Amino acid sequence: MSNQDLNKGLDRRSFMKIGGMSTLALTLASTGLPRDLFTNHVHAEESGSAKLQFNSDGKYKVVQFNDTQDDERIDRRTLELMEKVLDTEKPDFVVLNGDNITGGCDSELEMKQALNNVAQPMEKRGIKWAVTFGNHDEDSSPNSGMYENDMLKFYMNYKYNMNEPGEKGLTGTGNMNLVIRKSKGNKAAFNLWLLDSGRYAPAQIAGQDFKGYPTWDWLRFNQVNWYYEKSKKLEKQYGFKVPSLVFIHIPLWEHRFMWYGSVDSRTQANHNLAAAKHNIVGERNEDECPGPVNGGLFSAMLDRGDVKGVFCGHDHVNTYCGNYYGILLGYSGNTGFGTYGLSGADRNRLRGARVFNLDENKEGVLVETHMVFAKDYGIDLTANDQSMDPLPLNNGGKGKGKGKEKEKAEKE
């Protein structure tokens, strides 16, 4: 997530807006303009069961898409990649893990079109999904008037979306957990933590700025404490520590510590030792970009002993994963073709997604995780723009209905 990311793609978006309606469109349907383009209600269908549950064979699959990061004129290959991953892997659940959209949306309509683009691959297939937020999701907010709370309400109205308004009183938007129950009965088998790692550090704290330090955000103590206390409540409720995964957009400092097997020394020799020690696989093509403060999540997870892995995005061309003192720390490579990648002809080589295979009959439940890449599906990797017209917004009347809490959130 280097600073070059802040400027990448602006020329492309400006050109497309000025140039009008030419497109390399991926056409899924042609239903005309919806009756009310500005409604928060996207589907009229009634929601299915909100329960997440292991399949009858005791297995469950999660896919993580990170940094789809585009405006309403998304690169068609981003959706092609998402759809091919979903059709091949057939996951039970999908996490859109932050920077789902970016700057370039000049109105509320365009913002909703951008959100709709990345929701449709799961909605079309009836796959349950949820989002976390990253540092770029609000890039279009000054122009569109839609901020993260508005986006969350919009996402929540999709039939298969599993987001909730989030725990009250916590920093960020939509902090929550989702319990996946055993294939038989109502007992928990696994848990997913979805945390908002924020956007950027404040301008100052105690009169001191962050010049010379990383300027990204970090998980605040109230979020870490909420995880810790909620984890204890889940243990008390179910009688055991429920194994889990954590999804955050911005990496932890421990991601960098693991790669080098060191805090201060960062040499190839350090990494070679660390790779063997921590079983690291995958690539690291840019520096990790955590915030200036270590929020303490890793220490809390070590103490609780329930988290099996923490997975982020943010740094588009990192795909590595390793075992750091019993907890997997990893990246999902960048899914979106409309933002920065590697340099030159390799720009799109690491576009992909991460897959998690769970088995309720195995110790720890998380069996394995691996990356899949656009190159494996025969997707065009040329370093050119392939923007398309926005997918149709399907107008709905009642939304999916999540009860009184959701209705209250929509009125606020």
Side-chain angles (χ1 to χ4, degrees):
M1 184 59 227
S2 60
N3 286 323
Q4 63 178 316
D5 183 37
L6 298 177
N7 295 317
K8 289 283 183 178
L10 293 178
D11 290 341
R12 187 267 286 190
R13 293 184 178 89
S14 298
F15 172 79
M16 293 308 298
K17 287 180 182 293
I18 294 170
M21 300 307 294
S22 62
T23 183
L24 294 166
L26 173 67
T27 303
L28 299 179
S30 179
T31 59
L33 292 174
R35 288 168 291 170
D36 183 359
L37 293 171
F38 294 93
T39 181
N40 274 343
H41 300 295
V42 183
H43 283 277
E45 300 96 325
E46 291 297 321
S47 174
S49 171
K51 182 186 295 184
L52 300 183
Q53 188 166 21
F54 276 73
N55 298 303
S56 59
D57 60 1
K59 296 180 180 179
Y60 198 87
K61 184 179 288 190
V62 177
V63 160
Q64 174 189 359
F65 292 123
N66 237 103
D67 301 271
T68 47
Q69 198 168 333
D70 215 326
D71 60 15
E72 79 284 358
R73 298 188 60 81
I74 195 168
D75 191 303
R76 67 161 193 88
R77 294 169 295 180
T78 301
L79 298 186
E80 182 184 2
L81 172 57
M82 293 176 71
E83 294 191 326
K84 287 190 173 180
V85 170
L86 297 179
D87 291 340
T88 301
E89 296 295 332
K90 295 179 168 45
D92 300 288
F93 189 76
V94 169
V95 179
L96 295 177
N97 193 36
D99 283 6
N100 307 308
I101 64 170
T102 189
C105 301
D106 294 331
S107 66
E108 183 179 350
L109 167 60
E110 290 183 355
M111 176 78 95
K112 290 181 176 180
Q113 289 172 328
L115 300 172
N116 180 62
N117 285 338
V118 295
Q120 283 303 314
M122 288 75 70
E123 288 294 307
K124 285 171 52 187
R125 290 160 177 78
I127 299 171
K128 293 176 181 178
W129 59 282
V131 306
T132 69
F133 289 102
N135 55 294
H136 282 300
D137 285 290
E138 287 189 330
D139 282 0
S140 290
S141 296
N143 290 333
S144 70
M146 285 188 73
Y147 290 83
E148 283 183 359
N149 284 330
D150 306 302
M151 292 181 236
L152 187 62
K153 293 173 187 176
F154 185 80
Y155 284 131
M156 285 169 55
N157 277 282
Y158 284 93
K159 181 177 180 181
Y160 297 100
N161 176 265
M162 298 294 293
N163 283 103
E164 296 288 349
E167 190 72 16
K168 293 181 179 180
L170 298 185
T171 301
T173 305
N175 297 285
M176 63 177 291
N177 73 290
L178 287 166
V179 171
I180 310 174
R181 304 188 186 280
K182 285 183 172 290
S183 56
K184 296 181 180 179
N186 206 37
K187 191 174 183 179
F190 203 75
N191 185 48
L192 303 175
W193 303 96
L194 306 178
L195 302 176
D196 182 1
S197 56
R199 283 145 294 288
Y200 303 96
Q204 293 184 343
I205 292 180
Q208 300 175 16
D209 63 29
F210 286 95
K211 184 177 180 179
Y213 294 93
T215 56
W216 315 112
D217 216 332
W218 66 91
L219 287 166
R220 304 307 170 92
F221 175 77
N222 60 64
Q223 295 170 285
V224 175
N225 186 60
W226 172 77
Y227 148 73
Y228 191 84
E229 296 300 326
K230 182 69 172 182
S231 171
K232 291 195 294 185
K233 288 180 181 178
L234 290 173
E235 181 181 11
K236 183 177 180 180
Q237 178 180 354
Y238 294 108
F240 67 103
K241 292 183 178 181
V242 182
S244 59
L245 283 171
V246 174
F247 291 98
I248 53 176
H249 181 76
I250 296 174
L252 304 177
W253 274 103
E254 284 83 3
H255 280 77
R256 178 178 290 188
F257 298 163
M258 179 184 72
W259 179 265
Y260 286 109
S262 172
V263 174
D264 298 317
S265 184
R266 299 172 185 170
T267 67
Q268 185 61 46
N270 289 135
H271 169 65
N272 292 341
L273 293 173
K277 181 177 182 177
H278 298 302
N279 299 314
I280 300 172
V281 295
E283 297 186 28
R284 178 185 184 271
N285 295 294
E286 64 175 312
D287 288 344
E288 299 83 358
C289 292
V293 175
N294 189 326
L297 179 64
F298 191 83
S299 178
M301 295 186 303
L302 279 181
D303 188 77
R304 285 299 301 142
D306 58 346
V307 172
K308 304 304 175 184
V310 181
F311 288 84
C312 65
H314 192 51
D315 308 316
H316 297 187
V317 290
N318 292 343
T319 63
Y320 68 80
C321 177
N323 186 322
Y324 192 65
Y325 300 101
I327 299 175
L328 295 180
L329 299 181
Y331 279 89
S332 177
N334 171 217
T335 301
F337 280 72
T339 186
Y340 83 87
L342 294 168
S343 60
D346 277 346
R347 173 185 171 90
N348 295 318
R349 179 173 62 82
L350 294 180
R351 309 296 189 197
R354 182 168 285 278
V355 179
F356 301 86
N357 284 300
L358 310 178
D359 189 331
E360 67 181 6
N361 299 308
K362 301 293 185 181
E363 183 178 359
V365 183
L366 176 61
V367 175
E368 69 87 37
T369 180
H370 63 277
M371 288 290 304
V372 292
F373 297 100
K375 59 186 175 65
D376 301 325
Y377 300 106
I379 295 173
D380 178 16
L381 300 182
T382 53
N384 60 339
D385 174 70
Q386 297 188 23
S387 304
M388 55 175 272
D389 288 332
L391 297 181
L393 273 171
N394 297 319
N395 182 43
K398 296 182 180 179
K400 63 181 182 179
K402 281 194 174 182
K404 293 181 180 179
E405 186 176 17
K406 173 177 174 291
E407 290 174 4
K408 181 180 178 181
E410 287 184 347
K411 292 176 182 178
E412 292 175 351

